Every structure is written in structure tokens, then in C-alpha cells.
Amino acid sequence: MGNTKTGERKLQILQALAQMLEQPRSEKITTAALAKHLSLSEAALYRHFASKAQMFEGLIEFIESSIFGLINQIDEKEENGLLQAQSVAMLILNFAEKNPGMTRVMIGDALINEDARLQLRMNQFFDRIELALKQSMKIAVTQGQFSEENINSRSNLMMSYLIGRLYRFVKTQFKQNPTEDMIPQINFILS
């Protein structure tokens, strides 16, 4: 029973951290501010996480498991390569819009004063997204939907587009929704 309680408390801490990251003009989040937000002591936070970096790792793990779990579902259900690529791109933008605090983590905005390995992990996350897009585009090539010489350029352009939309969402204090006009824009990149 104690483990369930610990797991629930860890989840509450991560949810509170994500919620604090959703504040458009949020200051650097300290463990003291997080503890106050949760009506806990800092010592209580450290019983569940060895460091603030570990808390951010928990958020990154949530982002990775959510996104890559859904990408795997897309790959299993959709045989059309272009529709796979379109679905992956839309997934990223929809996830960002529903999770503004997580978007700050994704673009590194929330990681600026944190352990450098956290930003490295987010960079690897985007590399894996680009790889997923390339795989979908390779399927599209075998289906005769476009030529092979465009795969690297197209996947790179799509990543630049996606990261740009996420960045703009955060920098406009969540006013410029990343999904606005996404379908015609994604289709343009994939055409």
C-alpha cells in the first residue's frame, strides 16, 4: 500500500510541476516554490525525487511514453506512408496544445537553468521524431507517393516546422495555438 501512496505523491508532484510550467510568465521554478504550491516541505519533495533534475526527467518520460506510444499506434493502424507522416506531425502539435507546460520542456525553455543532460535528452526525442517521419516517408516512396531524394529534406523541413510551431506557442505565452492552420501547412510540406 505504501508504494501506491508514493507513486500517487510522485504523480502529484509532476502534475504540479507541469501546472507551474503553464504559467506564461513563470519564473525559474525552485523546489521551494514547488513545495509551497503543493503545501509540502522541500524535504517531502526530496523523499520522492533525489533532485529537481529527476522531476524534469519524470516529465520527459511522460512526454516520451505518450508521444512514442501514439506513434506506434499510428504505425500499426495506418499503412499509407504520407498519412502516417501527417498523423505524426499533427500528434506533436495537438500534444503541445493540450500540454503547454510540457511544451516548455520540449523546446528546452523550462530546462535552461537545469542539468544539460535534460536538454540533450529532448534533442534525442526530436531526433527520434524525425526518424519516425523518415520511416513514414520511406513507406510513401515505396507506395509511389513521392521520390526518395526528398526524404531527408522533407523530414528536416517538417521538424523545423514542428519545432517552430512549439517555440511560437511558448513565446506567445500560449496565445498562438500550434494547431492553427496545421493541416494545410503539413500537407504543403508533404506535397
Side-chain angles (χ1 to χ4, degrees), residues 71 74-75 78-92 129-130 132-140 145-146 154-155 158 162 186-187 189-190:
I71 287 175
I74 290 167
D75 291 347
E78 181 55 66
E79 292 180 16
N80 182 305
L82 277 179
L83 291 179
Q84 276 184 10
Q86 180 188 51
S87 295
V88 168
M90 289 169 48
L91 163 67
I92 301 301
I129 298 293
E130 187 168 5
L133 287 166
K134 280 182 187 177
Q135 289 301 114
S136 297
M137 290 178 194
K138 285 179 183 176
I139 292 168
Q145 294 170 320
F146 57 81
R154 247 182 247 257
S155 61
M158 184 64 79
L162 293 172
I186 290 168
N187 288 342
I189 294 169
L190 293 174

Side-chain angles (χ1 to χ4, degrees), residues 3 32 54 74 84 88-90 114 117 131 137 169 172 188:
N3 286 343
Q54 220 180 51
I74 290 167
Q84 276 184 10
V88 168
M90 289 169 48
E114 305 304 330
R117 73 178 161 35
L131 188 62
M137 290 178 194
F169 182 49
T172 62
F188 179 76

Side-chain angles (χ1 to χ4, degrees), residues 106-119:
M106 290 167 72
I107 67 161
D109 183 66
L111 304 175
I112 290 172
N113 296 311
E114 305 304 330
D115 191 311
R117 73 178 161 35
L118 297 171
Q119 183 60 60

Side-chain angles (χ1 to χ4, degrees), residues 13-14 17 31 34 45-58 114-115 117-118:
I13 293 168
L14 293 177
L17 177 56
T31 53
L34 182 57
L45 289 179
Y46 287 117
R47 280 196 288 277
H48 299 284
F49 293 96
S51 64
K52 189 165 61 156
Q54 220 180 51
M55 293 175 206
F56 277 106
E57 281 175 340
E114 305 304 330
D115 191 311
R117 73 178 161 35
L118 297 171

Side-chain angles (χ1 to χ4, degrees), residues 53-169:
Q54 220 180 51
M55 293 175 206
F56 277 106
E57 281 175 340
L59 292 180
I60 292 170
E61 285 167 13
F62 172 80
I63 293 166
E64 290 172 339
S65 65
S66 298
I67 296 290
F68 293 116
L70 291 169
I71 287 175
N72 288 338
Q73 287 178 23
I74 290 167
D75 291 347
E76 288 170 15
K77 291 177 183 167
E78 181 55 66
E79 292 180 16
N80 182 305
L82 277 179
L83 291 179
Q84 276 184 10
Q86 180 188 51
S87 295
V88 168
M90 289 169 48
L91 163 67
I92 301 301
L93 299 179
N94 279 307
F95 179 88
E97 191 167 307
K98 289 180 180 121
N99 301 283
M102 301 289 187
T103 306
R104 290 190 60 211
V105 174
M106 290 167 72
I107 67 161
D109 183 66
L111 304 175
I112 290 172
N113 296 311
E114 305 304 330
D115 191 311
R117 73 178 161 35
L118 297 171
Q119 183 60 60
L120 179 64
R121 189 163 168 187
M122 284 316 310
N123 294 348
Q124 291 168 342
F125 165 83
F126 283 113
D127 289 345
R128 287 175 63 195
I129 298 293
E130 187 168 5
L131 188 62
L133 287 166
K134 280 182 187 177
Q135 289 301 114
S136 297
M137 290 178 194
K138 285 179 183 176
I139 292 168
V141 167
T142 66
Q143 295 169 337
Q145 294 170 320
F146 57 81
S147 61
E148 193 164 357
E149 70 265 5
N150 293 330
I151 289 177
N152 287 336
S153 295
R154 247 182 247 257
S155 61
N156 187 273
L157 178 60
M158 184 64 79
M159 286 311 302
S160 298
Y161 166 75
L162 293 172
I163 292 168
R165 295 299 297 210
L166 301 184
Y167 187 83
R168 188 172 182 193
F169 182 49

